[in-house]
C-alpha cells in the first residue's frame, strides 16, 4: 500500500462523518465505522443490502439528486436518510463519481447528520413566531428601525402604523415615514428636525416625545406619545408609540381628569413593561411568596384557609416558574454548582410534589442506596424534577400513580454505540414514571421542543420539558424517554457522578432552622412589597433593620448610621442602582459585606455588577427564609 493510499485509508476509517464507497447503481463496497454507528448496521449488512438500506425512498429530493450526480458526476445537498430502526435522519451529503484505472466507476459518499441543527433551526423559527405573535398583540405600537436620517423599518407590529394613522405599505420605503405620517409640511419639518436632533446624541432622556398631533384633513386630530431606545451595538432604534388622545382630551375637561390620567398611566406602564416584564413579575412574586409564608404561620389549624393559601401560592409558583423558564432559555443563567445528593433532594421535595399532584394521584418514591453525588445547581435540578412531576400529573387527569426514583448506572462503550447521545462512565439517575396517557411516536419526537405542547392553550406553555432538557444538558447529562400510548411514560435523567460525597451545604435544607442575629442590616429596593416582607422577617429574627427605596437614600442612611454590618441592595433602582451605591459605601467602610438581588438573572445584570460580581446574588422571587439564611451565611463568613 502506498503512503497516499495509507493516508486515505486512515482518513476513511477515522472520519467522524459517515463515508461510503459504492457503485453508481447502489451497491455498497465499503462503509466506515461512523456510517455503521449512525445507521445502526454492520459493514457486512450494508454491503449485502446496498444503498437502499439507508436511503429514504419517500424523499422527493432523492431522484433529482441521483440524476444530477449521473449528469454532472457529483452532488452536494440535503437529503433524508433512514436508520435501521426506521428513524428518518436529515443529512448533508456530498457524493462524487470517479473512474478507476480499470475503467470501472466508483462513487464516494460523505454523510453528516444534521438532526441537531434542524431541531435548532425549528426551535429558532418557533421562538421567532412566538415573539412576533406577542409583539403583534401588545397594546402599544412597536418597531425596530434606523434613523440616519432616513427611517428604514426592520420590523413593526400591527399597532405601529395604526397609531400613526397610516399603513405598512406607506412606510415600506426608507424615508417615507415623515410624508406618510405628517400631512402639514411646516409641522412635518419641525418634528423631523426635532426627532433627528434628539436621536443624534443617543441620549435616552431626550428621545421621548409627548402629545405629538397626528392630523388628517376632515378628521379628528389624534395625539401620541413616542419613545426611542437605542439598540446596543447596532445603528437601530426600538420605537414605541401609544395613543394618548383620551388623556389629552381629559386635560381639557377637569371632571374627567382622574379617569383619563389613569388610562394614560396604564398605557405608559405597558410601554415600560415591554422592556422589563420578568424583572417586575419577580419583584411582585417576591412579595406574594413572602406575605404568603408569613400568613401561613397565622392561619395554622384553619384547614380551609390553609387550602386557599396553598392555591394562591401554587398560582404564584406557576407564574414564577414561567418567568424562570423564559430566563433560563433567554439568559442561560449560570450554574451555581455544588455536590448534590439526589436522594436528599427528592426527599426534600416529596411533600410538595404530593400536594402538587393532588389527591387522585398516589406518589411513591424509590431511592437507591449508595447513590453517587452529582455536581450541579440545586435550584435548577429541583426545577427539573418539579417540571417532570407536573408534566406527569397532567398526563393523569383521571388519577393514577407517580413513581419518583433514583438509581445508579454504569454505562460502557456498548451503551454509547447504541445511544450516541450517552456518555460512558458512572451516573446518578433521576427517574419519573407515570401511569398516564402516554405518547405516540410523533409526540415523542417533539416532546423536548420549545413551545411544543399537547395541552389546551390555557394549561401549558410548552416550555416545561424543554427546560428540563436544557437543565440536564447544562449539567453534562442526558435524558432517556420511554412511552407508549395508554401505557404511561418514564423519563430518566442521567447525571455524571461526582466524587466525593455531597457537601454538607447540599443536604436538605427544608428542616434547618432559620437563625437570626443582632447586627444592623441595610435593605434597599424600589419595590415596596419586597421591603415590607424583608423588613418584617428580619425584625422578627432580631436584626436592626434600615430600609431605603433607592440607592441615593441608601447611601445617606449608611453614612448617618455608621454601624451597618451588611447591605442588601437591589441591582436596578431609580437614579442610583445597588452596585453604584455600594461602591460609595465601600469607600467609607472598606470590606463592607453585601448581597445583591434582582428580578433579572445574574447574566442580565452582570455588566452592572462588575467589579462587584464576587458578592452573593439572590434572584427574585425568593422566600423570606432564603434571604434570612443568606444574610446569616454572609455575616458568619470570615471575609
Amino acid at each position: 500500500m502506498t503512503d497516499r493510499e495509507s493516508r486515505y485509508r486512515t482518513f476513511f476509517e477515522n472520519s467522524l462523518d459517515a463515508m461510503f464507497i459504492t457503485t453508481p447503481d447502489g451497491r455498497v463496497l465499503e462503509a466506515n465505522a461512523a456510517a455503521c454507528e449512525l445507521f445502526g448496521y454492520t459493514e457486512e449488512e450494508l454491503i449485502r443490502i446496498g444503498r437502499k438500506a439507508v436511503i429514504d425512498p419517500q424523499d422527493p429530493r432523492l431522484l433529482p439528486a441521483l440524476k444530477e450526480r449521473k449528469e454532472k458526476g457529483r452532488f452536494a445537498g440535503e437529503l433524508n436518510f433512514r436508520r435501521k430502526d426506521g428513524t428518518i435522519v436529515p443529512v448533508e451529503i456530498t457524493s462524487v463519481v470517479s473512474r478507476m484505472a480499470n475503467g470501472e466507476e466508483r462513487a464516494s459518499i460523505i454523510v453528516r447528520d444534521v438532526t441537531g441543527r434542524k431541531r435548532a433551526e425549528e426551535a429558532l423559527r418557533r421562538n421567532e413566531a412566538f415573539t412576533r405573535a406577542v409583539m403583534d398583540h401588545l397594546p402599544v405600537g412597536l418597531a425596530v428601525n434606523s434613523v440616519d436620517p432616513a427611517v428604514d423599518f426592520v420590523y413593526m407590529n400591527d399597532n405601529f402604523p395604526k397609531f400613526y394613522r397610516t399603513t405598512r405599505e406607506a412606510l415600506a420605503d426608507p424615508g417615507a415615514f415623515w410624508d406618510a405620517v405628517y400631512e402639514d409640511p411646516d409641522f412635518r419639518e419641525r418634528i423631523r428636525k426635532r426627532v433627528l436632533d434628539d436621536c443624534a446624541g443617543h441620549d435616552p432622556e431626550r428621545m421621548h416625545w409627548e402629545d405629538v398631533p397626528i392630523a388628517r384633513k376632515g378628521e379628528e386630530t389624534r395625539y401620541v406619545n413616542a419613545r426611542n431606545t437605542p439598540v446596543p451595538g447596532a445603528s437601530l432604534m426600538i420605537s414605541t408609540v401609544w395613543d394618548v388622545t383620551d388623556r389629552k382630551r381629559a386635560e381639557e375637561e377637569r371632571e374627567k381628569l382622574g379617569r383619563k390620567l389613569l388610562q394614560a398611566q396604564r398605557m405608559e406602564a405597558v410601554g415600560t413593561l415591554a422592556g422589563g416584564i420578568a424583572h417586575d413579575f419577580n419583584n411582585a412574586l417576591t412579595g406574594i411568596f413572602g406575605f404568603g409564608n408569613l400568613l401561613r404561620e397565622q392561619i395554622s389549624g384553619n384547614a380551609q384557609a390553609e387550602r386557599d393559601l396553598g392555591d394562591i401560592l401554587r398560582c404564584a409558583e406557576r407564574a414564577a416558574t414561567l418567568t424562570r423558564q423564559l430566563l433560563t432559555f433567554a439568559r442561560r443563567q449560570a450554574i451555581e454548582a455544588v455536590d448534590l445528593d439526589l436522594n436528599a433532594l427528592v426527599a426534600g421535595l416529596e411533600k410538595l410534589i404530593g400536594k402538587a399532584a393532588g389527591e387522585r394521584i398516589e406518589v411513591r418514591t424509590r431511592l437507591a442506596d449508595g447513590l453517587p453525588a452529582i455536581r450541579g445547581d440545586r435550584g435548577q435540578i429541583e426545577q427539573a424534577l418539579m417540571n417532570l412531576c407536573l408534566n406527569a400529573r397532567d398526563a393523569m387527569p383521571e388519577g393514577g400513580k407517580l413513581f419518583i426514583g433514583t438509581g445508579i448506572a454504569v454505562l460502557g462503550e456498548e451503551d454509547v454505540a447504541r445511544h450516541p447521545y450517552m456518555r460512558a462512565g458512572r451516573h446518578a439517575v433521576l427517574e419519573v414514571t407515570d401511569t398516564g396517557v402516554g405518547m405516540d411516536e410523533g409526540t415523542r419526537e417533539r416532546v423536548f421542543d420549545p413551545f411544543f405542547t399537547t395541552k389546551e392553550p390555557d394549561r401549558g406553555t410548552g416550555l416545561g420539558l424543554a427546560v428540563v432538557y436544557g437543565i440536564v444538558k447544562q449539567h453534562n447529562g442526558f435524558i432517556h424517554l420511554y412511552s407508549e400510548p395508554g401505557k404511561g411514560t418514564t423519563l430518566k435523567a442521567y447525571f455524571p457522578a461526582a466524587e466525593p460525597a455531597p457537601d454538607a451545604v447540599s443536604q436538605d435544607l427544608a428542616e434547618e432552622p432559620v437563625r437570626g442575629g443582632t447586627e444592623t442590616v441595610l435593605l434597599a429596593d424600589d419595590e415596596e412589597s419586597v421591603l415590607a416582607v424583608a423588613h418584617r422577617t428580619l425584625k422578627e429574627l432580631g436584626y436592626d433593620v434600615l430600609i431605603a427605596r433607592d440607592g441615593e437614600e441608601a447611601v445617606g442612611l449608611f453614612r448617618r448610621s455608621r454601624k451597618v454590618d451588611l447591605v442588601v441592595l437591589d441591582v436596578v433602582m431609580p437614579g442610583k442602582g445597588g452596585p453604584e451605591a455600594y461602591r460609595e459605601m465601600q469607600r467609607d467602610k472598606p470590606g463592607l459585606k453585601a448581597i445583591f438581588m434582582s428580578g433579572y438573572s445574574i447574566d442580565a445584570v452582570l455588566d452592572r455588577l462588575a467589579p462587584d460580581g464576587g458578592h452573593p446574588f439572590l434572584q427574585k422571587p425568593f422566600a423570606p427564609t432564603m434571604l434570612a439564611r443568606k444574610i446569616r451565611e454572609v455575616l458568619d463568613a470570615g471575609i
Side-chain angles (χ1 to χ4, degrees), residues 327-328 330-335 474 600-609 617 619:
L327 288 174
T328 297
R331 303 292 185 188
R332 299 190 180 273
Q333 301 175 88
I335 293 177
Q474 271 191 293
Y600 297 112
S601 71
I602 188 170
D603 291 341
V605 296
L606 198 57
D607 57 335
R608 294 175 183 255
L609 285 174
F617 178 84
Q619 184 179 327

Side-chain angles (χ1 to χ4, degrees), residues 15 46 52 170 186 190 232 259 387 392 399 407 448 475 571 637:
S15 173
L46 289 170
K52 65 182 180 180
D186 292 334
R190 289 199 305 272
R259 179 172 63 85
N387 281 11
F448 296 114
H475 287 77
V571 175

Side-chain angles (χ1 to χ4, degrees), residues 12 26 69 81 86 131 149 202 204 212 217 245 314 324 353 491 579:
F12 180 87
R69 189 182 70 175
F81 271 34
T131 302
H202 289 268
V212 180
K217 291 182 180 179
T245 303
R314 277 192 291 275
R324 285 195 300 269
I353 292 170
L491 278 153

